[in-house]
Amino acid sequence: MALRESFPSVLEAARAGEGWAVASLYESLQPRVFSYLRSRARQEAEDLSSEVWLDVARALPRFEGSEDDFRRLVFTIARRRLIDFRRRTAFRRTDAVAHETLADMPSGDDVESMAIEALSAEEARASIAAALTPDQAEVVLLRIMGGFSADEVAAIMGKRPGAVRVLQHRALAVLSKCYQSNETRSLPEAM
Amino acid sequence: MELDPFDRTFEERMFSSHLAAGDLPPGYSSVAMILKRAAIASPAPDRTLADRTVAAMVTAIGAAASTAAAPSAPTDRAVRRSLLPRRVAVRTAVLAFAMLVLGGGMAFAGVLPSPLQSAAAGIARHLGVTLPTGGDSSAGKPANAHGGGQQTKVPPTQSLPGLCTAYLAGNGGTNGRKDASTAFTRLQAAATADGKSVVDYCRENGTHHGQGHDKSPGSHGESTEHNGGGAQKEHGHQRDGSLLGEKGSSSRGGRDKSTGGSHGSHANTGGTGGSQDQGTSHP
């Protein structure tokens, strides 16, 4: 939900500490930020998103720019929070998995039921993250969740635009190989 | 029209979901679908969480705004950093003062190495203070027996009578290889410096005879006294056994010891040399 023309006034009010304006900024981006964080850190997405928005609030009095700039700022903070979280948990090599998740996972002989059409948005993001390397998944998820161009993703990730394009190209190639077998069976129904 | 997967516009259209099914190369239809599905944002998990987060954000914005508005108080690190030059300056000043005092004291005592001593003397001369120069070896050291700044290797005054006695008794020279001893070597050097033999030197300067007079009151003899910078001859009673003394100390020693010797002389000789003795030893 983009604010578009109302963004400057909302931003000004949010800087003044108006609750409604802060809520507008939050609601305009929170679903995408939360989805991005959940695709990378499933269990800690809620905590991480709260931390991200608190950081955004601290940076808000100094922020100047357009709505796209604000979106870039929010996702940059989200990515840094994610990196911090990964560093913290680097020595803890266990990922907590909810019981429901295990119960919902298809068994080994139920591969055909993994038709792409049946995937929810969250499962689609999870399958992308599982199939790709961390950098490739980062590029793809920032592009589709944040709506950023390759250049913007490069700025957020601190990489060169050419490197980001190479990463996204390889990511698409890997994904095409992963889903090629499924495509032959289930694509006619899916499309 | 099927797009080339290596075309950049193809990838851009894949991510923006602007591709029709017929445009996709083989293997990419599923990818396009999954990207399209993944782009759908999940709904916010919890309304109360959202409310709590927004409330916390409002508080954080207020705190950040007040921090930005208030004049920035210097942090501990900033204070420490600003104090650092002052602390270094104070330490440097204290060290420099200590070095100045120590160096000045050493220069005044004349114990600095020659180049430093001469440099210090040059500086002090400009200030109207006379300091020993580096070449002045007598500075800060006891004057030698001959005085006048002339430095020869003369045996210590107190030991000269005994040394002369020992030498004249035949312990010097080749007898007992005493020539090798430092004391006799110095005695010989002192005698050579005076242009005399050791025997003559001892007879003139050594006071073993005179000392004998002192110890045995009433004895007569002739002795020579080197007192300070010049020689002082006394005929008659030898009043002091250690007259080849150091500058300053010899007169005092002479005065102290002459008391005993003079008393002895007076008692036995009835003042044959007593008046002369008194006149010369007490200026």
Side-chain angles (χ1 to χ4, degrees), chain A residues 14-15 17 26-27 31 35 46 53 57 116-117 119 121 125 127 143-145 165 168-169 175-176 179 183 187 191, chain B residues 5-6 8 11-12 15 21 27 29-31 33-35 37-38 40-42 45 47 50 53 56-58 61:
Chain A
R15 275 186 189 151
Y26 174 83
E27 286 166 3
S35 301
E46 287 186 8
W53 282 107
I116 297 170
E117 194 176 4
L119 291 175
R125 287 192 289 271
S127 66
R143 290 216 62 175
I144 60 176
M145 298 310 302
R165 289 198 183 90
Q168 76 182 16
H169 177 77
L175 289 175
S176 72
Y179 295 109
E183 189 177 304
L187 205 55
M191 300 302 283
Chain B
F6 298 103
R8 183 182 289 184
E11 291 179 358
E12 294 301 318
F15 282 114
S29 304
S30 302
V31 178
M33 257 187 70
I34 211 165
L35 290 178
R37 282 188 182 279
I40 299 169
S42 303
R47 188 65 224 172
T53 306
M57 284 178 70
V58 171
I61 288 170

Side-chain angles (χ1 to χ4, degrees), chain A residues 25-42:
Chain A
L25 291 176
Y26 174 83
E27 286 166 3
S28 68
L29 283 176
Q30 165 62 7
R32 289 182 172 275
V33 171
F34 180 73
S35 301
Y36 166 71
L37 292 172
R38 194 167 168 80
S39 66
R40 310 298 289 141
R42 187 180 177 87

Side-chain angles (χ1 to χ4, degrees), chain B residues 83-252:
Chain B
L83 284 177
L84 191 62
R86 183 185 295 179
R87 202 179 294 172
V88 169
V90 167
R91 285 184 185 175
T92 308
V94 168
L95 189 66
F97 182 74
M99 292 286 288
L100 189 66
V101 168
L102 186 66
M106 291 176 75
F108 191 76
V111 293
L112 285 174
S114 293
L116 290 177
Q117 183 68 38
S118 54
I123 294 170
R125 199 178 304 122
H126 287 295
L127 299 173
V129 179
T130 305
L131 288 182
T133 58
D136 187 4
S137 59
S138 66
K141 297 176 182 175
N144 60 46
H146 291 276
Q150 184 187 3
Q151 186 179 17
T152 54
K153 291 185 176 180
V154 175
T157 310
Q158 287 84 0
S159 63
L160 184 60
L163 196 59
C164 282
T165 304
Y167 191 90
L168 294 175
N171 291 331
T174 54
N175 188 6
R177 303 184 66 183
K178 294 294 182 181
D179 276 342
S181 74
T182 306
F184 285 133
T185 307
R186 286 186 178 182
L187 181 64
Q188 288 167 358
T192 307
D194 272 6
K196 297 168 184 168
S197 67
V198 177
V199 176
D200 291 341
Y201 181 78
C202 279
R203 278 182 183 154
E204 286 186 11
N205 300 323
T207 55
H208 57 286
H209 296 301
Q211 197 170 20
H213 284 288
D214 284 341
K215 286 179 180 175
S216 57
S219 63
H220 295 269
E222 183 179 305
S223 68
T224 304
E225 179 184 1
H226 276 223
N227 192 0
Q232 180 183 358
K233 285 195 174 182
E234 254 185 19
H235 295 281
H237 293 285
Q238 174 62 39
R239 61 173 182 83
D240 190 358
S242 59
L243 291 178
L244 281 178
E246 297 172 43
K247 194 175 186 179
S249 66
S250 63
S251 62
R252 179 187 292 179

Side-chain angles (χ1 to χ4, degrees), chain A residues 17 35 44 48 95 107 126 130 140 170 175 189:
Chain A
S35 301
E44 288 79 12
L48 285 174
D95 288 327
S107 62
V140 171
R170 287 179 183 165
L175 289 175
E189 297 98 8

Side-chain angles (χ1 to χ4, degrees), chain B residues 248-270:
Chain B
S249 66
S250 63
S251 62
R252 179 187 292 179
R255 186 180 301 169
D256 291 339
K257 291 184 177 178
S258 67
T259 309
S262 299
H263 274 286
S265 300
H266 285 298
N268 291 321
T269 62

